[in-house]
Amino acid sequence: MLASFPWQKREISNFDYLMYLNTLAGRSYNDYMQYPVFPWVLADYLSKTLNLTNPHTFRDLSKPMGAQTVERKHKFIQRYNEVEKNLSAQCHYCTHYSSAIIVASYLVRLQPFTQTFCSLQGGNFDVADRMFHSVKSTWESASRDNMSDVRELIPEFFYLPEFLTNANNFELGCMQDGTVLGDVQLPPWADGDPHKFILLHRQALESDYVSAHLHRWIDLIFGYKQHGSAAVEAVNIYHPYFYGHKTDLNNIKDPLIKSTILGFISNFGQIPKQV
């Protein structure tokens, strides 16, 4: 990995190294479609106290979000092997871990992301039950429950408590169970305090466990497990349109096909450049 020695020596933080890799890979705060991508690092959103010395507290960084449970992993492998009739290409995932709508949904309580999210949704907020309202439920969706959800995180989860509060009092709707959406629901170990959540979440990112395993996630997102046989083995193959370097739009003469591909990339995201 380029310039990894200072990171390996712990001379720079995990956060700074991830930002460096995102920049090398062409990711930028200025492009929602190629926004910096960060990993889920925790798997414990139930405990009253966060134990950063327990390996079970953490997400398996050697596996993509689609392979965090054995059952889910097998389902995606089956999809890849069967090439379902409604798929246009062989892949594990038809959705992506980072896209404009994912970024805007996380940051929807802050402008200008509120406006961006509504614009992407046709001018309105989404159905309340689909809005980002709980860290725990979002983790469960992306890691276990929803076969269309393999999202990762964004840098703000590690430094910006304001995105977790509805300080602007936006009317985000009411869920089917009667819950009125407001501030994001936090894990018990955060004690309802966004600042504590960010502090502990950043400590988790910089913990010894994550420092020892983060390179495995980097291989999946930025490295050699992005594509090819290594990606197949890692259950890490996405729809071909997500791989920008593999799609030469200049050679596509049909304007409808070109427009479809551009729309697909715009809506669902892009794989970072390999570094």
Side-chain angles (χ1 to χ4, degrees):
M1 187 68 64
L2 293 174
S4 61
F5 291 108
W7 173 62
Q8 291 172 340
K9 295 177 181 178
R10 304 295 289 272
E11 293 175 358
I12 62 173
S13 67
N14 291 336
F15 182 92
D16 288 340
Y17 188 56
L18 287 171
M19 285 303 301
Y20 174 71
L21 292 176
N22 272 284
T23 301
L24 280 181
R27 315 290 289 190
S28 168
Y29 283 119
N30 297 320
D31 187 347
Y32 294 169
M33 291 185 291
Q34 297 192 74
Y35 207 77
V37 56
F38 270 59
W40 288 95
V41 293
L42 294 173
D44 182 0
Y45 299 96
L46 293 172
S47 299
K48 292 184 177 180
T49 303
L50 191 63
N51 184 358
L52 297 181
T53 64
N54 183 356
H56 296 292
T57 298
F58 298 92
R59 167 256 183 103
D60 188 341
L61 288 161
S62 70
K63 296 180 174 65
M65 291 302 292
Q68 290 297 305
T69 69
V70 174
E71 180 182 5
R72 184 167 152 101
K73 175 183 176 181
H74 287 163
K75 287 181 179 179
F76 282 120
I77 291 175
Q78 183 179 14
R79 170 187 287 179
Y80 181 86
N81 290 335
E82 291 180 353
V83 191
E84 297 175 0
K85 294 179 180 179
N86 62 326
L87 300 180
S88 59
Q90 189 174 36
C91 60
H92 296 115
Y93 313 116
C94 297
T95 54
H96 199 249
Y97 50 77
S98 178
S99 66
I101 192 65
I102 290 172
V103 172
S105 68
Y106 280 146
L107 300 174
V108 69
R109 291 163 177 81
L110 296 177
Q111 289 286 18
F113 301 99
T114 311
Q115 184 177 355
T116 300
F117 181 83
C118 290
S119 177
L120 291 170
Q121 287 291 131
N124 301 296
F125 290 120
D126 199 357
V127 174
D129 288 83
R130 292 201 298 260
M131 295 281 287
F132 172 52
H133 65 276
S134 162
V135 178
K136 172 181 172 289
S137 65
T138 302
W139 159 256
E140 291 173 346
S141 172
S143 67
R144 188 188 68 197
D145 296 339
N146 188 345
M147 291 291 285
S148 297
D149 184 3
V150 292
R151 80 186 82 175
E152 293 280 5
L153 299 183
I154 54 176
E156 286 82 352
F157 272 85
F158 301 94
Y159 69 82
L160 189 69
E162 288 79 8
F163 88 96
L164 298 166
T165 64
N166 188 25
N168 293 306
N169 295 314
F170 292 119
E171 295 184 2
L172 302 173
C174 182
M175 299 175 63
Q176 290 185 8
D177 64 5
T179 302
V180 178
L181 296 195
D183 296 346
V184 175
Q185 297 172 12
L186 302 176
W189 45 259
D191 295 326
D193 183 350
H195 289 83
K196 185 173 183 180
F197 172 84
I198 294 295
L199 174 65
L200 292 176
H201 206 214
R202 183 65 173 265
Q203 288 178 359
L205 178 65
E206 304 299 341
S207 67
D208 289 339
Y209 180 89
V210 172
S211 296
H213 296 86
L214 185 57
H215 66 283
R216 297 179 180 275
W217 183 83
I218 290 171
D219 287 340
L220 293 168
I221 306 301
F222 300 105
Y224 78 103
K225 291 185 179 180
Q226 269 193 357
H227 51 79
S229 59
V232 175
E233 185 176 350
V235 194
N236 197 40
I237 295 290
Y238 295 81
H239 193 284
Y241 289 169
F242 295 145
Y243 299 84
H245 65 283
K246 291 186 176 181
T247 305
D248 189 353
L249 293 175
N250 293 325
N251 289 331
I252 298 176
K253 305 304 181 183
D254 189 321
L256 181 59
I257 295 177
K258 181 179 291 188
S259 175
T260 299
I261 294 174
L262 287 171
F264 195 97
I265 294 171
S266 176
N267 288 323
F268 294 105
Q270 286 181 272
I271 300 291
K273 295 177 182 176
Q274 189 173 18
V275 297

